[in-house]
Amino acid sequence: MTAPTTATDVNQPSLEHAPPTGRRMSWPVLLLVIAGALALTSIVRLITGADGITNVSQMSTALQLAVPIGLAGLGGLWAERAGVVNIGLEGMMILGTWFGAWAGFQWGPWTGVLVGLIGGCLGGLLHAVVTVTFNVNHIVSGVAINILALGATRYLAPLAFEGHQGGSAKQSPAVESLGHFTVPGLSDWLSDLNAKGWFFVSDIAGLLGGLVTDVSWLTLIAVALVPGTWWILWRTPFGLRLRSCGENPVAAESLGVNVYKYKYLAVIISGGLAGLGGVFLSIVANPFYLEGQTSGRGYIGLAAMIFGNWMPGGLAIGAGLFGYTDSLNLRGGSTNVHALLLLGALLLVIGAIWLAIRKKYVQAAVTLVVGALVFAWYAGTNEVPSQVVAATPYVVTLVVLALSAQRLRMPKADGMPYRKGQGK
């Protein structure tokens, strides 16, 4: 029996028709769910008077905070689609922040973007050498890279930044801005529409207004990387071979795919994307490097990738959700989070009704009780403690992962050790 000559011919059916663990939501249904969530948010805004939860400034800040999370998540997606778990995203982001700011204040912001990306790639290369070549446990390697990146930047920062104006052992000198743009006319019109406070329409205007007001050029690049990643991984022979390494590397090797090469490329690209997320933090979000400025966003990016079921579109939605909750810390946090308690209570009640319809009565009862407790918290207080506001992004991360766990399908060979020729 003659073996096929290309990976594309044989692997296409197995990858495209691999049975998922849950039913995939179609785009029309997904859009209806998003519209329903926005309508419910609009109702909460009208009841509570917390106009800040959907205004243009809130959405613009949410987009800015979602970008580094989304870039880290895209990095995780590239690595895990090739079968390599990348817990080291946080460390690669740290390398991106330091290298980006170091090169940026000396040679300009765009040079900083390039050098920061290369810094992340170096972290990815180290992770690939350790996990692919030497078969070290992926989790151990990732944690080690996180610790190594933190230690290396703490050592290098005093050497590179002390003695320069605005620099110190924990902070770089200021980096020149990459520049922002606002769509003329459209931004003002959406802002005026948002200010009217109309049901649903004003909330849509706030969401869209945040996408066209004071947007960084690096944000545009990050947004373009989402459909770009989808097209490369799901519409090209290169992407098919790379994904085959994460589904069944033995079968891929038998069809002539150089599994080591594709794993290396995927993990290096993964590090570069995480490094780009770090650059965003040290050049766009803040015009300088500051020790600890990643604040766990690499881990949240990994959570966004899992929430998105290892797909770019779902990842983008997850990054937007986490970016939005993170933005509550910066703009009227206590008032907005208090209003969102009512939104959470309503969502829990709707969830309980849905579970009851599906005859899952125990889960429905538990969900209803939790919803009642959240509503009691909302009704019995006028604001929430600042500690709750600060913890909101991480609490939402845990809740979302817990609720989405049953529909997830990770690549079959993700995190599994592989040796060349092991299938012979």
Side-chain angles (χ1 to χ4, degrees):
M1 183 175 180
T2 305
T5 56
T6 66
T8 304
D9 294 333
V10 169
N11 280 338
Q12 182 77 29
S14 61
L15 288 174
E16 296 297 332
H17 301 288
T21 57
R23 299 176 64 181
R24 180 176 293 181
M25 188 178 294
S26 64
W27 276 107
V29 174
L30 178 61
L31 291 175
L32 284 174
V33 170
I34 294 174
L38 280 173
L40 201 60
T41 303
S42 184
I43 293 172
V44 169
R45 176 181 61 81
L46 293 173
I47 293 173
T48 62
D51 294 333
I53 61 177
T54 58
N55 66 22
V56 172
S57 298
Q58 182 79 49
M59 294 303 178
S60 181
T61 303
L63 175 63
Q64 187 178 81
L65 293 171
V67 167
I69 295 173
L71 286 170
L74 277 179
L77 185 147
W78 273 86
E80 299 208 10
R81 279 294 176 180
V84 179
V85 174
N86 193 356
I87 297 293
L89 292 169
E90 179 77 4
M92 296 167 198
M93 287 189 78
I94 292 173
L95 293 174
T97 60
W98 191 90
F99 279 101
W102 170 71
F105 89 88
Q106 298 186 84
W107 302 300
W110 286 109
T111 303
V113 171
L114 178 61
V115 174
L117 188 149
I118 293 173
C121 286
L122 291 176
L125 176 62
L126 177 60
H127 189 49
V129 170
V130 172
T131 57
V132 178
T133 300
F134 294 103
N135 254 343
V136 173
N137 182 276
H138 299 189
I139 306 298
V140 173
S141 173
V143 172
I145 287 173
N146 291 338
I147 297 172
L148 180 63
L150 183 61
T153 52
R154 280 184 176 176
Y155 173 76
L156 292 172
L159 300 177
F161 302 142
E162 284 187 338
H164 294 276
Q165 183 178 3
S168 68
K170 295 186 177 182
Q171 180 177 319
S172 74
V175 181
E176 184 182 346
S177 174
L178 286 171
H180 295 74
F181 75 93
T182 296
V183 178
L186 181 60
S187 175
D188 293 335
W189 178 67
L190 289 172
S191 296
D192 292 340
L193 191 59
N194 176 247
K196 293 183 182 299
W198 293 341
F199 170 72
F200 192 69
V201 175
S202 292
D203 302 286
I204 293 290
L207 175 61
L208 296 178
L211 302 179
V212 296
T213 304
D214 291 332
V215 180
S216 166
W217 294 106
L218 192 54
T219 299
L220 277 186
I221 295 173
V223 171
L225 284 171
V226 175
T229 291
W230 172 83
W231 184 79
I232 291 172
L233 292 183
W234 275 268
R235 287 296 181 268
T236 66
F238 170 82
L240 180 62
R241 295 186 182 102
L242 187 147
R243 288 186 295 122
S244 72
C245 297
E247 295 290 343
N248 194 332
V250 174
E253 182 189 2
S254 70
L255 296 170
V257 175
N258 188 332
V259 176
Y260 278 11
K261 180 183 79 171
Y262 280 92
K263 284 180 178 287
Y264 262 85
L265 285 173
V267 180
I268 291 171
I269 292 171
S270 171
L273 290 168
L276 195 60
V279 169
F280 189 93
L281 291 173
S282 62
I283 294 182
V284 177
N286 297 298
F288 49 82
Y289 162 82
L290 183 65
E291 185 179 304
Q293 69 188 137
T294 56
S295 299
R297 286 181 175 86
Y299 300 111
I300 298 179
L302 195 64
M305 178 205 67
I306 296 171
F307 165 78
N309 207 8
W310 290 264
M311 295 291 290
L315 182 156
I317 294 173
L321 174 62
F322 300 139
Y324 176 77
T325 55
D326 202 8
S327 71
L328 297 175
N329 288 322
L330 303 179
R331 295 186 174 275
S334 180
T335 302
N336 291 340
V337 172
H338 183 259
L340 291 180
L341 288 176
L342 178 59
L343 177 62
L346 293 174
L347 289 173
L348 286 167
V349 170
I350 293 171
I353 295 172
W354 174 249
L355 289 170
I357 292 174
R358 299 180 66 186
K359 298 182 179 181
K360 296 182 178 180
Y361 300 115
V362 175
Q363 296 94 321
V366 172
T367 304
L368 188 61
V369 169
V370 174
L373 291 174
V374 172
F375 179 78
W377 185 6
Y378 164 77
T381 59
N382 293 321
E383 60 180 18
V384 295
S386 59
Q387 295 86 346
V388 174
V389 178
T392 297
Y394 309 102
V395 172
V396 169
T397 301
L398 292 173
V399 171
V400 167
L401 287 179
L403 294 177
S404 62
Q406 294 183 349
R407 66 173 183 83
L408 300 178
R409 180 197 177 275
M410 65 189 296
K412 290 181 179 179
D414 194 15
M416 296 176 61
Y418 168 78
R419 285 290 187 189
K420 186 174 182 180
Q422 72 181 38
K424 295 181 180 179

